[in-house]
Amino acid sequence: MNSAFLKSINWQTQKKGQEILSQKVQSMLFCSGSLTAILKEQGVLTVQVLHESMQDARDIFDREKALLPEDECFWVREVLLSVNQKNAVFARSVIPQKICNTLEVLTKMGQQPLGEFLFSHHIKRGDFEWSATSNGLARHSLFYIAESALLVGECFLNEYWDSYYKA
């Protein structure tokens, strides 16, 4: 799986169009708490790093650039989260280089979920935007750190909904 499907998503605010989603799906998709913690409650969570590197700003998706503070480079990390060996969530984080310079640990997460770091440090989360994609339901939001922000996008894969939250 790669992030190409995220490039052309028509994102909408959390309130827009959510009436088409069941309450059960809404409660998961728009949960402002730690997704990592929720997935761990459902079984054994594994993180497979698909890609991570520092990328030039011109290589970041337009929507990401519009949401994030201006910077020359961004750390991009794409992972596949699995629960009990079943693919659950594709996640993409985009972190301005200025944040990475201050918090180098963010570029050395390895198999550790980013959410564990963000929520253990009580980092403020912004509002969600969401969209339905052919791969599943996607959401993204900003996390605010030291007068800057990083973007975390997550796509709850269709297999996840089939296995855990039949709507």
Side-chain angles (χ1 to χ4, degrees):
M1 170 167 279
N2 67 43
S3 60
F5 75 97
L6 293 173
K7 190 172 185 175
S8 59
I9 285 181
N10 183 22
W11 295 101
Q12 50 196 341
T13 64
Q14 180 176 334
K15 301 258 186 253
K16 188 176 179 187
Q18 71 178 2
E19 65 279 353
I20 66 170
L21 305 173
S22 72
Q23 283 299 119
K24 197 173 201 178
V25 169
Q26 285 184 49
S27 68
M28 187 63 175
L29 187 63
F30 303 126
C31 173
S32 61
S34 170
L35 175 60
T36 300
I38 292 169
L39 294 176
K40 282 184 171 184
E41 288 175 5
Q42 296 173 356
V44 177
L45 176 67
T46 54
V47 178
Q48 178 187 356
V49 178
L50 303 174
H51 169 83
E52 58 183 351
S53 68
M54 192 62 74
Q55 295 184 12
D56 190 273
R58 66 179 169 257
D59 297 326
I60 304 303
F61 300 151
D62 290 340
R63 182 64 183 150
E64 294 169 340
K65 280 190 272 194
L67 293 170
L68 287 162
E70 194 172 313
D71 207 335
E72 292 178 15
C73 295
F74 295 84
W75 180 257
V76 177
R77 180 175 188 243
E78 296 177 354
V79 300
L80 183 62
L81 305 176
S82 299
V83 178
N84 297 332
Q85 300 181 337
K86 294 179 183 172
N87 295 343
V89 176
F90 171 82
R92 175 179 165 94
S93 53
V94 183
I95 307 170
Q97 184 175 18
K98 290 174 189 165
I99 292 176
C100 294
N101 291 344
T102 305
L103 293 167
E104 192 176 341
V105 66
L106 295 175
T107 65
K108 300 181 184 320
M109 298 297 296
Q111 303 298 316
Q112 296 300 311
L114 177 61
E116 282 184 349
F117 175 86
L118 296 174
F119 285 94
S120 68
H121 288 81
H122 308 288
I123 295 172
K124 183 182 179 228
R125 178 181 232 160
D127 295 333
F128 289 112
E129 289 186 327
W130 75 281
S131 184
T133 77
S134 59
N135 292 314
L137 294 173
R139 70 180 190 178
H140 66 197
S141 60
L142 292 170
F143 285 85
Y144 297 94
I145 299 177
E147 300 179 27
S148 192
L150 62 91
L151 181 66
V152 175
E154 298 146 331
C155 181
F156 295 82
L157 302 173
N158 292 323
E159 307 92 286
Y160 176 77
W161 299 113
D162 293 343
S163 298
Y164 298 101
Y165 283 93
K166 294 185 179 176

